[in-house]
Amino acid sequence: MLKNKTILITGGGSGIGESLTKQLSKTNKVIICGRNEDKLKKVATENDNVTYFVVDVTNPLEIDGLFEKFSAKGIVLDVLFNNAGVVELWEINNTKLSSSQIFSKINTNFTCAVCLVQRFFSQANAGVENYIINITSEVAIMPIPLLPLYSASKSGLSVFTKALRLQLKNTKFKVVEILPPAVETKMTTQDLNNTSKLVKPYVFAENVIKNINNGKLEYAPGSNAFQLNLIRRFFPKAGLKLIDKLSRKQLIVK
């Protein structure tokens, strides 16, 4: 149950992270982190029981530094929401990304989450109920060819989550995977120019919390999730071509 916990939410300054923070802070202590101090400060100011730390989660030294600050302040986390994420429209034959850009995107979506899980696990009180909650994506079921880095990194986080859940099955650590559909955030509306019907972030956050409290270890509420699982199982090659075709209609490629 997500109540009376100390919770860390990465990317808590906007989108899904902000909506989770607003709802969870009513009955928990919530710590948010990210790179944009103005956004973090605004969320912390507008909600009780919220504090923030400015952290670049793609930098391993800053991740370690964050947990050193927690230790110095006597903060012990009970819940980790790996929510931070970035997305890109990238076709290798049309656009060139620098090596630094590629590293940054994959690290944000995958590597930093793994590092945070390790640090979280090391500091947690193993005698009480703990939650590791990784937010992946429907692309972890079937990739979108226009989003190769996002698809690959979120798929990697999904695999890591499943492996971690098995490793920790006889402990008090609950390992949860959330696979959002297209949610109305800056990522979908501005970064991707997504023209499909979008879910409101506060509605999605409310349902995420409800399902976690009901004991679900995997939550994929989108109407596409069931269809994508069928496609992956029975028509992987044809399905991938169909997904590519449909995504090109929904995403306005600049």
Side-chain angles (χ1 to χ4, degrees), residues 23-71:
Q23 297 189 44
L24 288 169
S25 62
K26 296 173 184 177
T27 56
N28 301 275
K29 294 180 181 178
V30 179
I31 301 167
I32 56 176
C33 68
R35 286 177 284 199
N36 190 315
E37 183 169 13
D38 290 339
K39 290 182 178 180
L40 296 170
K41 187 175 182 179
K42 183 175 184 294
V43 174
T45 301
E46 292 177 349
N47 298 276
D48 294 333
N49 304 316
V50 178
T51 55
Y52 73 88
F53 291 84
V54 179
V55 179
D56 180 356
V57 292
T58 67
N59 186 329
L61 295 179
E62 293 196 26
I63 291 176
D64 290 344
L66 176 64
F67 279 84
E68 288 166 6
K69 290 176 183 176
F70 290 161
S71 179

Side-chain angles (χ1 to χ4, degrees), residues 72-161:
K73 294 176 179 288
I75 297 171
V76 178
L77 302 174
D78 307 298
V79 181
L80 168 64
F81 268 93
N82 271 315
N83 167 70
V86 293
V87 73
E88 83 303 320
L89 289 166
W90 181 42
E91 292 185 280
I92 197 168
N93 57 332
N94 291 329
T95 306
K96 182 179 180 181
L97 295 178
S98 68
S99 297
S100 177
Q101 287 175 309
I102 293 171
F103 265 75
S104 178
K105 291 177 186 297
I106 292 176
N107 286 343
T108 301
N109 292 332
F110 176 62
T111 315
C112 85
V114 176
C115 292
L116 285 161
V117 165
Q118 174 67 65
R119 292 304 305 244
F120 171 82
F121 182 80
S122 297
Q123 60 84 62
N125 178 356
V128 303
E129 187 177 61
N130 295 275
Y131 288 84
I132 297 169
I133 303 163
N134 292 331
I135 298 182
T136 61
S137 168
E138 288 181 343
V139 300
I141 305 173
M142 282 290 290
I144 295 177
L146 278 172
L147 309 176
L149 296 181
Y150 186 71
S151 297
S153 53
K154 287 296 187 179
S155 296
L157 183 57
S158 179
V159 170
F160 174 76
T161 304

Side-chain angles (χ1 to χ4, degrees), residues 162-175:
K162 290 176 173 61
L164 189 69
R165 185 182 297 136
L166 190 61
Q167 289 187 15
L168 299 178
K169 66 178 180 178
N170 295 319
T171 72
K172 288 186 175 293
F173 289 83
K174 295 182 181 294
V175 182

Side-chain angles (χ1 to χ4, degrees), residues 154-211:
K154 287 296 187 179
S155 296
L157 183 57
S158 179
V159 170
F160 174 76
T161 304
K162 290 176 173 61
L164 189 69
R165 185 182 297 136
L166 190 61
Q167 289 187 15
L168 299 178
K169 66 178 180 178
N170 295 319
T171 72
K172 288 186 175 293
F173 289 83
K174 295 182 181 294
V175 182
V176 181
E177 180 179 4
I178 307 298
L179 297 89
V183 178
E184 189 178 292
T185 65
K186 175 183 175 294
M187 179 185 291
T188 50
T189 59
Q190 296 182 34
D191 298 342
L192 292 181
N193 302 291
N194 194 323
T195 58
S196 64
K197 186 177 181 181
L198 304 175
V199 179
K200 296 293 183 184
Y202 68 88
V203 173
F204 178 70
E206 184 178 71
N207 288 329
V208 165
I209 295 166
K210 183 188 300 182
N211 276 270

Side-chain angles (χ1 to χ4, degrees), residues 219-251:
Y219 178 54
S223 58
N224 290 332
F226 178 74
Q227 296 172 359
L228 289 172
N229 275 302
L230 287 179
I231 289 171
R232 180 175 66 177
R233 184 175 180 182
F234 296 108
F235 314 103
K237 291 183 179 179
L240 192 59
K241 291 180 180 178
L242 178 62
I243 289 168
D244 185 45
K245 182 179 180 180
L246 293 176
S247 65
R248 288 177 184 276
K249 293 180 179 180
Q250 292 180 345
L251 307 179

